[in-house]
Coordinates of all heavy atoms in Angstrom, one line a residue:
V33 N 10.2 5.6 6.8 CA 10.6 6.8 7.7 C 11.1 7.8 6.8 O 10.8 9.1 6.9 CB 11.6 6.2 8.7 CG1 12.4 7.4 9.3 CG2 11.1 5.4 9.8
S34 N 12.0 7.4 5.8 CA 12.6 8.3 4.8 C 11.5 9.1 4.0 O 11.5 10.3 3.9 CB 13.6 7.5 4.0 OG 14.1 8.4 3.0
S35 N 10.6 8.2 3.4 CA 9.6 8.8 2.5 C 8.7 9.7 3.2 O 8.3 10.9 2.8 CB 8.9 7.7 1.8 OG 9.8 7.1 1.0
E36 N 8.2 9.3 4.4 CA 7.1 10.0 5.2 C 7.6 11.3 5.8 O 6.9 12.3 6.1 CB 6.4 9.1 6.2 CG 5.6 8.0 5.6 CD 4.6 8.4 4.5 OE1 4.0 9.6 4.8 OE2 4.3 7.7 3.6
M37 N 8.9 11.4 6.1 CA 9.5 12.7 6.6 C 9.3 13.8 5.5 O 9.1 14.9 5.9 CB 11.0 12.5 6.9 CG 11.3 11.7 8.3 SD 13.0 11.4 8.6 CE 13.5 13.2 8.9
I38 N 9.3 13.2 4.3 CA 9.2 14.3 3.2 C 7.7 14.4 2.8 O 7.2 15.5 2.8 CB 10.0 13.8 2.0 CG1 11.4 13.8 2.3 CG2 9.5 14.6 0.7 CD1 12.3 13.2 1.1
H39 N 7.0 13.3 2.7 CA 5.6 13.4 2.2 C 4.7 14.0 3.2 O 3.5 14.6 2.8 CB 5.1 12.0 1.8 CG 5.9 11.4 0.8 ND1 5.9 10.0 0.5 CD2 6.8 12.0 -0.1 CE1 6.8 9.7 -0.5 NE2 7.3 10.9 -0.8
A40 N 4.9 13.9 4.5 CA 4.1 14.5 5.5 C 4.1 16.1 5.4 O 3.2 16.7 5.7 CB 4.6 14.1 6.9
L41 N 5.1 16.5 4.9 CA 5.3 18.1 4.8 C 5.1 18.5 3.3 O 4.8 19.7 3.0 CB 6.7 18.5 5.3 CG 7.1 18.2 6.7 CD1 8.4 18.6 7.0 CD2 6.2 19.0 7.6
L42 N 5.2 17.7 2.4 CA 5.2 18.1 0.9 C 3.9 18.8 0.5 O 4.0 19.7 -0.2 CB 5.4 16.8 0.1 CG 5.8 17.2 -1.4 CD1 7.1 18.0 -1.5 CD2 6.0 15.8 -2.2
P43 N 2.6 18.3 0.9 CA 1.5 19.1 0.5 C 1.6 20.5 0.9 O 1.2 21.3 0.1 CB 0.3 18.3 1.0 CG 0.9 16.8 1.3 CD 2.3 17.0 1.6
I44 N 1.8 20.7 2.2 CA 1.8 22.0 2.7 C 3.0 22.8 2.1 O 2.8 24.0 1.8 CB 1.9 22.0 4.3 CG1 0.6 21.3 4.8 CG2 2.1 23.4 4.9 CD1 0.7 21.1 6.3
Y45 N 4.1 22.2 2.0 CA 5.3 22.9 1.3 C 4.9 23.3 -0.1 O 5.2 24.5 -0.5 CB 6.4 21.9 1.2 CG 7.7 22.4 0.7 CD1 8.4 23.4 1.3 CD2 8.2 22.1 -0.5 CE1 9.6 24.0 1.0 CE2 9.4 22.5 -1.1 CZ 10.2 23.6 -0.3 OH 11.3 24.0 -0.8
L46 N 4.2 22.5 -0.9 CA 3.7 22.8 -2.2 C 2.8 24.1 -2.2 O 2.9 25.0 -3.1 CB 3.1 21.7 -2.8 CG 4.0 20.5 -3.4 CD1 3.2 19.3 -3.8 CD2 4.7 21.0 -4.6
V47 N 1.9 24.1 -1.2 CA 0.8 25.1 -1.2 C 1.2 26.4 -0.6 O 1.1 27.5 -1.2 CB -0.5 24.6 -0.5 CG1 -1.5 25.7 -0.3 CG2 -1.1 23.4 -1.2
T48 N 2.0 26.3 0.5 CA 2.4 27.5 1.2 C 3.7 28.1 0.8 O 3.8 29.3 0.9 CB 2.4 27.2 2.7 OG1 3.5 26.2 3.0 CG2 1.2 26.8 3.2
V49 N 4.6 27.2 0.3 CA 5.9 27.8 -0.1 C 6.1 27.9 -1.6 O 6.6 29.0 -2.1 CB 7.1 26.8 0.5 CG1 8.4 27.4 0.0 CG2 7.1 26.8 2.0
M50 N 5.6 26.9 -2.3 CA 5.8 26.9 -3.8 C 4.6 27.6 -4.5 O 4.6 27.7 -5.7 CB 5.9 25.4 -4.3 CG 7.3 24.9 -3.9 SD 8.6 25.7 -4.7 CE 10.0 24.7 -4.1
G51 N 3.4 27.8 -3.8 CA 2.2 28.4 -4.3 C 1.4 27.6 -5.2 O 0.7 28.1 -6.1
A52 N 1.5 26.3 -5.1 CA 0.7 25.2 -5.8 C -0.8 25.3 -5.5 O -1.1 25.6 -4.3 CB 1.2 23.9 -5.8
S53 N -1.7 24.9 -6.5 CA -3.1 24.8 -6.1 C -3.5 23.5 -5.6 O -2.7 22.5 -5.7 CB -3.9 25.1 -7.4 OG -3.7 24.1 -8.4
M54 N -4.7 23.3 -5.1 CA -5.2 22.0 -4.6 C -5.2 20.9 -5.9 O -4.9 19.8 -5.7 CB -6.5 22.1 -4.1 CG -6.5 22.8 -2.8 SD -5.5 22.1 -1.4 CE -6.2 20.5 -1.4
V55 N -5.5 21.5 -7.0 CA -5.6 20.6 -8.2 C -4.1 20.1 -8.5 O -3.9 18.9 -8.8 CB -6.1 21.3 -9.4 CG1 -6.0 20.4 -10.7 CG2 -7.6 21.6 -9.2
T56 N -3.2 21.0 -8.4 CA -1.8 20.6 -8.6 C -1.3 19.6 -7.6 O -0.7 18.5 -8.0 CB -0.9 21.9 -8.4 OG1 -1.2 22.8 -9.4 CG2 0.6 21.4 -8.7
V57 N -1.7 19.6 -6.3 CA -1.5 18.6 -5.4 C -2.0 17.4 -5.8 O -1.3 16.2 -5.7 CB -1.9 19.1 -4.0 CG1 -1.8 17.9 -3.0 CG2 -1.2 20.3 -3.4
G58 N -3.3 17.3 -6.2 CA -3.9 16.1 -6.7 C -3.2 15.5 -7.9 O -3.0 14.2 -8.0
I59 N -2.8 16.3 -8.8 CA -2.0 15.8 -10.0 C -0.7 15.2 -9.7 O -0.4 14.1 -10.1 CB -1.9 17.0 -11.0 CG1 -3.1 17.4 -11.5 CG2 -0.9 16.6 -12.1 CD1 -3.1 18.6 -12.4
I60 N 0.0 15.8 -8.7 CA 1.3 15.3 -8.4 C 1.2 14.0 -7.7 O 1.9 13.1 -7.9 CB 2.1 16.3 -7.4 CG1 2.4 17.5 -8.2 CG2 3.2 15.7 -6.8 CD1 3.1 18.6 -7.4
E61 N 0.2 13.9 -6.7 CA 0.1 12.7 -6.0 C -0.3 11.5 -6.9 O 0.0 10.4 -6.9 CB -0.9 12.8 -4.9 CG -0.4 13.7 -3.7 CD 0.8 13.2 -3.0 OE1 0.8 12.0 -2.8 OE2 1.8 14.0 -2.8
G62 N -1.3 11.9 -7.7 CA -1.9 10.9 -8.6 C -0.9 10.4 -9.7 O -0.8 9.2 -9.9
I63 N -0.2 11.3 -10.3 CA 0.7 10.9 -11.3 C 1.9 10.0 -10.7 O 2.4 9.0 -11.2 CB 1.3 12.2 -12.1 CG1 0.3 12.7 -12.9 CG2 2.7 11.7 -12.8 CD1 0.8 14.0 -13.6
A64 N 2.4 10.5 -9.5 CA 3.3 9.7 -8.8 C 3.0 8.3 -8.5 O 3.7 7.3 -8.8 CB 3.8 10.5 -7.5
E65 N 1.8 8.1 -7.9 CA 1.3 6.7 -7.7 C 1.0 6.0 -9.0 O 1.2 4.8 -9.0 CB 0.1 6.8 -6.7 CG 0.4 7.4 -5.4 CD 1.5 6.6 -4.6 OE1 1.7 5.4 -4.8 OE2 2.2 7.2 -3.8
A66 N 0.4 6.6 -10.0 CA 0.2 5.9 -11.2 C 1.5 5.4 -11.9 O 1.6 4.3 -12.5 CB -0.6 6.8 -12.2
A67 N 2.5 6.2 -11.8 CA 3.8 5.9 -12.4 C 4.4 4.5 -11.6 O 4.9 3.7 -12.2 CB 4.8 7.0 -12.2

Side-chain angles (χ1 to χ4, degrees):
V33 168
S34 177
S35 295
E36 294 303 329
M37 286 178 70
I38 294 172
H39 299 161
L41 299 172
L42 192 58
I44 295 173
Y45 184 66
L46 283 165
V47 173
T48 62
V49 178
M50 294 294 190
S53 68
M54 293 299 302
V55 173
T56 300
V57 173
I59 291 173
I60 290 174
E61 292 298 318
I63 289 178
E65 294 301 333

